[in-house]
Amino acid sequence: MQQTSSSLRARTFTSMGTVVSLTIPLKGDAHTTVDELEAATAVVERVFTELDSIFSLYRPASEASAMARGELTLEEASEVMRDCYADAARWRILTGGAFTPERPDGVVDLSGIVKAQAIREAGTSLLALGLRDWCLNAGGDVLVNGSPVPGSGRPWLAGVLDPADRRTLLTAFPLGGSPPVMNALATSGTSERGQHIWSAGLSPSGLAMRQFRQVSVAARGIIAADVLATAIMVGGQRTLDLAVEEWDVAVLVVKNDGGLLATPGFRLAAG
Amino acid sequence: MRFRAGVSAAIASTGILIAGWQYGLHVSDSNASITTTAAGTNGNASSNGAAAGGAGNGGAGNGGSGNSGSGNSGAGNSGSGSSGSGSTSGSASAGASAKAGGTYQGSVVTTRFGSVQVQVTVKAGTITDVTALKLTDDDRKSVQISNRAAPLLRSEVLAAQSADVQTISGATVTSEAYLTSLQAALDAANF
């Protein structure tokens, strides 16, 4: 909490229509830290770029675009595409249909899971590079390892935006640290990019019936956090109940009327 | 899910206790009921058809509870004779409880979720109320029960300002929106 910003270093790049930030603590010589950070950021960027080139519906040359145009079937698609679809389909079953890999118009749209997959793969790469303390943020979805103060066991503290005022934090949630409890936090909502939710399978009638304005899920693993946040946003109370029973997660919901719903992990005493 | 398992375990235990009650009443009243029920074997007996094999023990008597006795009943009431009247146990308990209205406390039963004890109220041969006197005090289960999303005031969450945190979670920001975001401010401060 007393962490001063000057003891961290961050680098960013743009991918998948958003900005990805990698933050690590300063260790010893600042130049060494920055060199290490920039090399690591390049590795993370490569992971994102590769997945985006396959899955982006904004790139006409991507495999996903070819499938959307009907030029390629799922059976003919690459193994990466089929694996990702299988993952998303599995999550559709686990979430009782609230999360789905298809748009209402039938086009396969895996953007709801691809970014989380990129974050996970990037995290694996960072560990493989020998980096132990880092915080990776892709458009508001967060995965961490270790601590902002190496060796202290202190967790990273992730702020959760107030959907009514994006300059204000609603609260904060500890991630990582030692012993690590939750290492990922994802937030779903419509205040920034409604299309993301649309593409995650919300029908027009579902939009009208939506109960929640913003859903944040902390979990062990970024894919569970991201998928469940989207699923609860789409499925409302029913999916919220399912998620807190089936998964070890902490959930914070902002309802349409501004009221909050939260599991004990988000309560002040537990925070 | 685990919560549901806990509840169903508690309910199952309740069933076992109720079975025990019926049997206990039956035993305490056995001398009287043997004759009564022998006469009234009729319809009641058929509802306990599965138990008809009888063998005259508790297992048969508790068949009617739907909890298959599961050994607890046998343990609690051991032989105590039952005097071979097993085949009529269903009607026996009905006959006994008709006389024995009132409130009864079951013994404490240990389940894998913790210990459970219930109180049963009987009126005119019918169980009118089952109250949990003691529900599992197992910590794990308490946690699981309470891991539900409940209404919360803003003052009940950890207050935070951007100076306190190292990163920001929010609905997906576009590249343009990022430029004016708190995350951009943090990243700039840490450049």
Side-chain angles (χ1 to χ4, degrees), chain A residues 5 18 21 157 159 167 171 268, chain B residues 156 158 166 169 173 180 187 190:
Chain A
S5 55
T18 189
S21 311
L157 199 57
R167 305 292 301 175
T171 185
L268 186 54
Chain B
E156 294 176 294
L158 181 65
Q166 291 91 41
S169 183
V173 293
T180 57
D187 289 339
N190 292 329

Side-chain angles (χ1 to χ4, degrees), chain B:
Chain B
M1 200 55 123
R2 283 168 296 186
F3 169 63
R4 280 185 188 153
V7 169
S8 52
I11 290 170
S13 304
T14 306
I16 290 165
L17 287 173
I18 292 169
W21 279 119
Q22 292 178 334
Y23 192 68
L25 292 166
H26 166 54
V27 168
S28 66
D29 204 36
S30 57
N31 287 336
S33 64
I34 288 172
T35 45
T36 328
T37 57
T41 302
N42 53 37
N44 285 331
S46 69
S47 70
N48 285 314
N57 59 30
N62 291 312
S65 76
N67 288 289
S68 64
S70 78
N72 289 28
S73 51
N77 298 289
S78 57
S80 82
S82 277
S83 56
S85 68
S87 63
T88 60
S89 62
S91 53
S93 60
S97 52
K99 300 173 204 166
T103 301
Y104 305 87
Q105 288 183 5
S107 53
V108 177
V109 171
T110 302
T111 73
R112 70 190 176 97
F113 295 95
S115 38
V116 178
Q117 183 185 21
V118 298
Q119 174 177 287
V120 180
T121 304
V122 180
K123 275 181 193 155
T126 308
I127 293 173
T128 57
D129 191 28
V130 179
T131 312
L133 296 179
K134 178 178 172 64
L135 271 178
T136 166
D137 49 9
D138 183 284
D139 281 345
R140 269 180 313 126
K141 194 197 161 210
S142 307
V143 169
Q144 285 158 10
I145 284 177
S146 58
N147 191 34
R148 300 185 70 89
L152 199 67
L153 298 173
R154 294 200 176 209
S155 59
E156 294 176 294
V157 296
L158 181 65
Q161 297 184 328
S162 53
D164 302 329
V165 303
Q166 291 91 41
T167 195
I168 309 279
S169 183
T172 306
V173 293
T174 60
S175 310
E176 297 78 43
Y178 168 82
L179 296 174
T180 57
S181 70
L182 287 177
Q183 181 66 41
L186 282 179
D187 289 339
N190 292 329
F191 191 84

Side-chain angles (χ1 to χ4, degrees), chain A:
Chain A
M1 200 85 85
Q2 299 312 312
Q3 184 69 30
T4 59
S5 55
S6 62
S7 62
L8 298 172
R9 288 292 179 273
R11 288 294 182 272
T12 63
F13 62 90
T14 300
S15 183
M16 299 186 180
T18 189
V19 173
V20 181
S21 311
L22 177 63
T23 306
I24 66 172
L26 267 178
K27 248 187 316 186
D29 176 41
H31 286 293
T32 311
T33 300
V34 167
D35 284 350
E36 199 174 40
L37 174 61
E38 290 183 345
T41 306
V43 170
V44 171
E45 184 168 6
R46 199 176 316 139
V47 170
F48 273 78
T49 304
E50 275 181 25
L51 283 173
D52 193 49
S53 70
I54 297 169
F55 291 98
S56 176
L57 288 169
Y58 297 95
R59 296 173 190 274
S62 76
E63 200 178 342
S65 292
M67 287 176 65
R69 290 191 300 266
E71 298 165 9
L72 188 72
T73 66
L74 195 55
E75 289 75 20
E76 301 161 336
S78 67
E79 194 176 343
V80 177
M81 175 66 76
R82 281 184 282 125
D83 283 353
C84 188
Y85 185 87
D87 254 6
R90 190 175 61 87
W91 278 107
R92 172 164 59 192
I93 294 167
L94 292 174
T95 60
F99 182 88
T100 170
E102 277 147 20
R103 289 201 312 223
D105 62 5
V107 169
V108 172
D109 183 356
L110 298 168
S111 61
I113 201 167
V114 167
K115 188 175 69 169
Q117 201 161 22
I119 297 172
R120 183 182 62 180
E121 282 186 26
T124 305
S125 299
L126 291 174
L127 292 175
L129 286 173
L131 281 178
R132 287 288 163 264
D133 302 293
W134 45 264
C135 173
L136 186 57
N137 185 324
D141 292 342
V142 182
L143 177 69
V144 311
N145 198 75
S147 166
V149 186
S152 72
R154 186 185 300 175
W156 294 86
L157 199 57
V160 177
L161 276 183
D162 184 343
D165 175 6
R166 53 193 294 275
R167 305 292 301 175
T168 305
L169 296 181
L170 203 54
T171 185
F173 193 85
L175 298 173
S178 182
V181 183
M182 306 290 188
N183 67 349
L185 177 65
T187 297
S188 185
T190 49
S191 57
E192 298 285 357
R193 200 165 71 170
Q195 193 177 4
H196 173 67
I197 294 299
W198 173 273
S199 66
L202 199 62
S203 66
S205 60
L207 260 177
M209 287 160 52
R210 204 180 57 235
Q211 301 166 291
F212 300 150
R213 179 159 184 191
Q214 177 173 290
V215 177
S216 298
V217 175
R220 294 181 176 83
I222 185 63
I223 294 189
D226 189 54
V227 166
L228 291 175
T230 305
I232 294 169
M233 189 69 197
V234 173
Q237 185 69 47
R238 186 175 56 90
T239 311
L240 172 61
D241 292 343
L242 176 76
V244 300
E245 280 187 25
E246 296 281 335
W247 286 273
D248 191 7
V249 290
V251 184
L252 176 69
V253 171
V254 182
K255 298 190 290 182
N256 281 335
D257 64 7
L260 305 180
L261 294 174
T263 56
F266 272 97
R267 278 187 186 273
L268 186 54

